[in-house]
Amino acid sequence: MKSKIEKAQILLDALPYIREHAGKTFVIKYGGSAQVNQQLKDKFAQDIALFHLVGIKLVIVHGGGKKITTLLDRLEIESEFKDGLRVTSKESMEIVEMVLSGNINKEITSLLNHHGAKAIGITGKDGGFFQAKPLKEGKYGLVGEITKVDTTVTSKLMDNGFVPVVAPIAGSVDGVGLNINADLVASKLAAKLRAEKVIFMTDTLGVLDKNKTLLPTLSKSEIVKLIEDGTISGGMLPKVNASLEAVELGCKKAHIIDGRIEHSLLLEVFTSEGIGTVIK
Amino acid sequence: MKSKIEKAQILLDALPYIREHAGKTFVIKYGGSAQVNQQLKDKFAQDIALFHLVGIKLVIVHGGGKKITTLLDRLEIESEFKDGLRVTSKESMEIVEMVLSGNINKEITSLLNHHGAKAIGITGKDGGFFQAKPLKEGKYGLVGEITKVDTTVTSKLMDNGFVPVVAPIAGSVDGVGLNINADLVASKLAAKLRAEKVIFMTDTLGVLDKNKTLLPTLSKSEIVKLIEDGTISGGMLPKVNASLEAVELGCKKAHIIDGRIEHSLLLEVFTSEGIGTVIK
Amino acid sequence: MKSKIEKAQILLDALPYIREHAGKTFVIKYGGSAQVNQQLKDKFAQDIALFHLVGIKLVIVHGGGKKITTLLDRLEIESEFKDGLRVTSKESMEIVEMVLSGNINKEITSLLNHHGAKAIGITGKDGGFFQAKPLKEGKYGLVGEITKVDTTVTSKLMDNGFVPVVAPIAGSVDGVGLNINADLVASKLAAKLRAEKVIFMTDTLGVLDKNKTLLPTLSKSEIVKLIEDGTISGGMLPKVNASLEAVELGCKKAHIIDGRIEHSLLLEVFTSEGIGTVIK
Amino acid sequence: MKSKIEKAQILLDALPYIREHAGKTFVIKYGGSAQVNQQLKDKFAQDIALFHLVGIKLVIVHGGGKKITTLLDRLEIESEFKDGLRVTSKESMEIVEMVLSGNINKEITSLLNHHGAKAIGITGKDGGFFQAKPLKEGKYGLVGEITKVDTTVTSKLMDNGFVPVVAPIAGSVDGVGLNINADLVASKLAAKLRAEKVIFMTDTLGVLDKNKTLLPTLSKSEIVKLIEDGTISGGMLPKVNASLEAVELGCKKAHIIDGRIEHSLLLEVFTSEGIGTVIK
Amino acid sequence: MKSKIEKAQILLDALPYIREHAGKTFVIKYGGSAQVNQQLKDKFAQDIALFHLVGIKLVIVHGGGKKITTLLDRLEIESEFKDGLRVTSKESMEIVEMVLSGNINKEITSLLNHHGAKAIGITGKDGGFFQAKPLKEGKYGLVGEITKVDTTVTSKLMDNGFVPVVAPIAGSVDGVGLNINADLVASKLAAKLRAEKVIFMTDTLGVLDKNKTLLPTLSKSEIVKLIEDGTISGGMLPKVNASLEAVELGCKKAHIIDGRIEHSLLLEVFTSEGIGTVIK
Amino acid sequence: MKSKIEKAQILLDALPYIREHAGKTFVIKYGGSAQVNQQLKDKFAQDIALFHLVGIKLVIVHGGGKKITTLLDRLEIESEFKDGLRVTSKESMEIVEMVLSGNINKEITSLLNHHGAKAIGITGKDGGFFQAKPLKEGKYGLVGEITKVDTTVTSKLMDNGFVPVVAPIAGSVDGVGLNINADLVASKLAAKLRAEKVIFMTDTLGVLDKNKTLLPTLSKSEIVKLIEDGTISGGMLPKVNASLEAVELGCKKAHIIDGRIEHSLLLEVFTSEGIGTVIK
């Protein structure tokens, strides 16, 4: 009986967090190991289902990763890289879009529906959701930057009890699809939706200091310093920049968490200490 | 981190139960040690707050107990007992009503509000909620039996996000208050509200067999046998009868649980095995 | 037939007043003889029922009076008085609360329900309605002054067609009940609800001038003079101060009327001349 | 003060009737002296305004009378009469319609608006309200009998807080207007609307027996006898037949009252004894 | 098949105009040949039915014309004219009102209902819609100028799916009807309703320049010049002034079109070039 | 001007059809040349936009065709065919799903959004829309037959003003996608939605008789005969069977039309004679 009572206590410890977040909107950038490892995928879906059930409104944004490369390789479509970005030709864009919105997006949608959160997969092309123009006047081909976000689609889906799952493909004025960085889709959406949280699931512990110790909270000025002295660098830089942009444009808090930990979302949101870095 | 993940798992284990009960109505007969011991009182209020938060509609019915006797004694009002019932004179009824609706009811209401479930204390006199007539033509004075229940009040309060806390005092055609057995108030209400569950919090483990082993589930025919052979007797008899009445008239399930166990409500409702006896 | 037509004419004379007040909120401080004399009680309840029926939203606030003293005496709980206020010990507070919310409140609620106005009795503890802290840092024990009013409870009850009947007991941060002057509860509520009227039922004609003639209307500046020159004094002083407070903080008009007159409420509200003093 | 209190008592005597009828629908056939005498007109409008204010839904149906004859005479349009009905030619129909819907209807509408009941004047042609075909295959020219009633118009107007005032002109399949007996318009409407009451305002006391004594209530079988033995005859016959039709097809009660009495409507509805004849 | 496809293309050409105007309000002053010629009447009603169906909210205002004169002549009521206005005596006002609201209004209402647009005929007297006072202190008898417009009636009718058809008769404080210029009723309503368009149907092509060429668009300053140099004069002057008033007080655009052209409304609204003069 | 008036007449000829279909649901199977030829694609999108604007609720179901074969060939995935069906291996299913839901579906969605109908692309996996099991116990690999349709998703999308565009991929109990015949998806949906029409866009004129003349309407018994005598055969057989299934299970009418004709949808729905075959 004692262990049962401990169980009850754990349930109740979550009570204030549930109360705090019910009715609020979270935008979650899903990616990294959590999107690949089968066990982590199930844990992720369970967390989302619980959030959904206790009344949190959710938008999931996902990226693509290796599947795109694999298919491009099989089709012998070569890719040039500039400044770390894949220069996306019209031919490869067609593959990018098919993989993102026809394969990965539907896999996540299925996964969430299977765990009880009614998910609907969409891209920027659905219902005029978001539009883009080629980045730096087309220097990287069909890599785009977002020019317009209309959250009517996501708001109506959420109001009807659905969880929108968003592939990072934008529409454009002339109907062509554009490839968008998923972190930026998440931050733009979180800002436009005046979300309570945007949460980036990564394959690191969070933002670390020089001694590789986790920094649990960061302000804008602290971030500026850490970028200047090189503490924040490499792959963490774009996550931190996306976080800053979200927070400056209307989202309350940005979280960078370690998606390799089971139930990382639940632990970050429903425990007092959290597990990653919060940027306010 | 491991213990954290175990915590998350426990939260998620409750997921199917939350999903099952959200939007349903529970009538809870609060009484016994859980109403007296300060620690148990807090655990009870936490359980109710969690139920409330995850969307379960709740009606709490409470009894009186020693406080009534204490005050009657101090006022030197003597009570006659017949068939185990206090014969309630007009003078003692005034005290009964004051203690139940002016002291105990408000204490529970305060307790629940303090833990975050917006509670409102009412009696049968409020909004024409329920009426009674003297039991057995007045053999026990102002001890009454319910003649009419109008659940408009409780339904509107619940629809507006409140938890009604009900003292077992009925109104009557001529405006006099009548003293009602709280178990019967709970079972009548549960039936009329077509509740999912009526839960009786007692000071025993539940219904036990000859060997004092808990009987986890019981059907009507089993109960009839156990009453006939004397296994169910004494104080358990009225609980079991109230359970049967509720279930026969429209409530889905009746639970008799041990209120002395911390978080007994949560454990009964949110774990697969439960802790008491269920009557279907 | 002639007398019938006169009856019809009287009904119609009320038409402009009904039209003026339908949908507005009145807070009524019920007290004095009107709360004690059986005939006046019934007339009061009839008036409230009529107001309710023609669409006026109503909050009734009542006081306590002799019943508290009687019970304290019977229990041999002694009371000290300072500045005309009963210093309320924890022991006597329990009695005060029981009598106010368990006896008087339920009696009024029953009375109103009996006459057709669906009434629900509440105190400051129900649904987090109003909170207080000890007056003058506890000089008078548990006599309190209101620190927070949340009219959600009363507004929702009124919107659902109920008449809230309020006992002047406040909750507090630590859950203890506090004894509040009922006139001040009425004036605070009227201000917070931006009520059309707060009406104080007293045992005098209204505010009188030096010659004991009724003053039918008073402005703030007139009141200040009358207090300075001693015309307003004694028991009338707190009523007038409560009226002023209500009017200054958001209530449209305050009325001080003679509750000893049958149907005083109806006559004040539905006839052109009224019967008491109006403070704007 | 005594007379004031009597006034209050009279107001309160109406309370149970107000409560009984709030939200119900009354169809009132307005005609006779009450439509001609200026003083009676004002009393009628006051009664309607009071009914409207206490939440009774109202449809007023009126007839025409002398104004039509006067204008036809001035224009030297001759009328033939058959079986007591004016044979309505196309030329005279144009005058009938103009007088009914352009003069009398608007006068009543103005009168009611002036007394505070938001009235809107309509005929069968508005919003496809009711249609007719020529009676007895055109024997009486454009005198019609109702073939279709669509209460959408009146229901929507009443739901929006308006009082529809209906002139007895029907539309037809080919757009021509038809002249309808106003009593039958009232009874058809009352039946279709499942009204609580249809009230015919006449210039007699009600239905009288052989000794010219008022018969306060009548059943169908009693009516049949009174018609057979000639007690009900002449101008009363069509009123009684219209009443019977209304009651048989869905209206609860039909009243035949003396519109020459001031406030006859109020007295019939808001006093226990009433003033005319009720047919159930 | 080719002609069929052309048909489809024409339907589709209207698509952007339908999309632009759905949900907007048009006030249409119906008059001239379109109100007299049977073929034009049907085309007008078809246009209104199509507007109604694609979600445009409509108010139709009509005038009177020859029918009034004819009836006044038959009744040998003589009319004096001052400044081009008929000085309206009380006797002639009764005729004016009967013809406008009892004949012409109901004819238009019938016509529209017959073509599928649920129309309800009203005047300023219905539901307290609009009031007037005698123009120039009664110089022209009961010719009035509008003093108050309450669009509650028209808004509620339109929200319930009806098309209000308005006769230019105003109520007044003392209940008397007043004769109002229909163009001014249309412009006042359009302004108060913040309508998208007010459209005046006339018997000319629109506003013409010195060479009798149609001026397709006009600004305020252009109009001022054209009036000064006498280009706009005669019967066009009041139309242009009504247009200007509407546009200055809140209506988006005013149109003066040639009602003699079949489907002039449809052509003006649903084709790119339009057919008349637009004043912005 | 004459041609303009003809244009207006054409618009008005559509009026009865618009009135008839507003608020009804059409399921459209989009395919064949209309899905390939750029000009026909635009005409199709214009037709859909017009339907959408006049209040018709729409679900578009599309198939796949050559794009799937092309990509399978490029990836050197070989396909076996049995009974005319591609035996779908797990490897080829991944390609089928990507092309259908990630390429073709999004292209149609973009096209419709570009023409003003807010479209959202979904598959059976979104929101638990429809599920399947392998056909004939897996004889054709992952070719499936529908086992469950939950139209909540499409109904909510349509109620919120969106046009669902459906790719014929079903979910399954174990999360695997299944390839479904698009005609059958359309007929199942039309039946479940109790649609007014299901319209199959083909590359033939419709159902032809022995002399290759179009049969404009067909009943079930006529179809049975035509199948028996071999008149209906080949590619027309599955269309006719899907039509019959839809009509028998709850859809009002099924249409088989020639998608090669410009604006074939508009012509079929908005002209009296239509252009294809209707099955009732």
Side-chain angles (χ1 to χ4, degrees), chain B residues 106 110 113 119 121 125-127 160, chain C residues 106 113 119 121 125-127 160:
Chain B
K106 294 307 168 190
S110 275
N113 277 303
K125 290 182 170 180
D126 289 288
N160 281 290
Chain C
K106 293 308 168 189
N113 277 304
K125 290 181 171 180
D126 289 289
N160 281 291

Side-chain angles (χ1 to χ4, degrees), chain D residues 67 71 74-77 91 94-95 97-103 105-107 109-110 113-114 118-123 125-128 150 152-153 156-157 160-162 171-175, chain E residues 67 71 74-77 91 94-95 97-103 105-107 109-110 113-114 118-123 125-128 150 152-153 156-157 160-162 171-175:
Chain D
K67 277 206 174 167
L71 191 57
R74 281 184 65 187
L75 291 167
E76 293 171 9
I77 299 171
E91 193 186 16
E94 201 171 41
I95 302 308
E97 186 172 357
M98 274 200 293
V99 173
L100 280 170
S101 71
N103 180 291
N105 184 272
K106 294 308 167 188
E107 192 190 312
T109 304
S110 274
N113 277 305
H114 187 71
K118 294 264 169 192
I120 289 186
I122 55 175
T123 77
K125 290 181 169 178
D126 291 287
D150 173 359
T152 315
V153 177
K156 287 202 173 169
L157 288 175
N160 281 289
F162 294 112
S172 66
V173 176
D174 52 11
Chain E
K67 278 205 173 169
L71 191 57
R74 281 184 62 187
L75 292 166
E76 293 171 10
I77 299 170
E91 192 187 18
E94 201 171 42
I95 302 307
E97 186 173 356
M98 275 201 292
V99 173
L100 280 171
S101 71
N103 180 292
N105 185 273
K106 293 307 168 189
E107 192 190 313
T109 304
S110 275
N113 277 305
H114 187 70
K118 293 263 168 194
I120 289 186
I122 54 175
T123 77
K125 290 181 170 179
D126 289 288
D150 173 358
T152 314
V153 177
K156 287 201 173 169
L157 288 175
N160 280 289
F162 295 111
S172 66
V173 176
D174 51 11

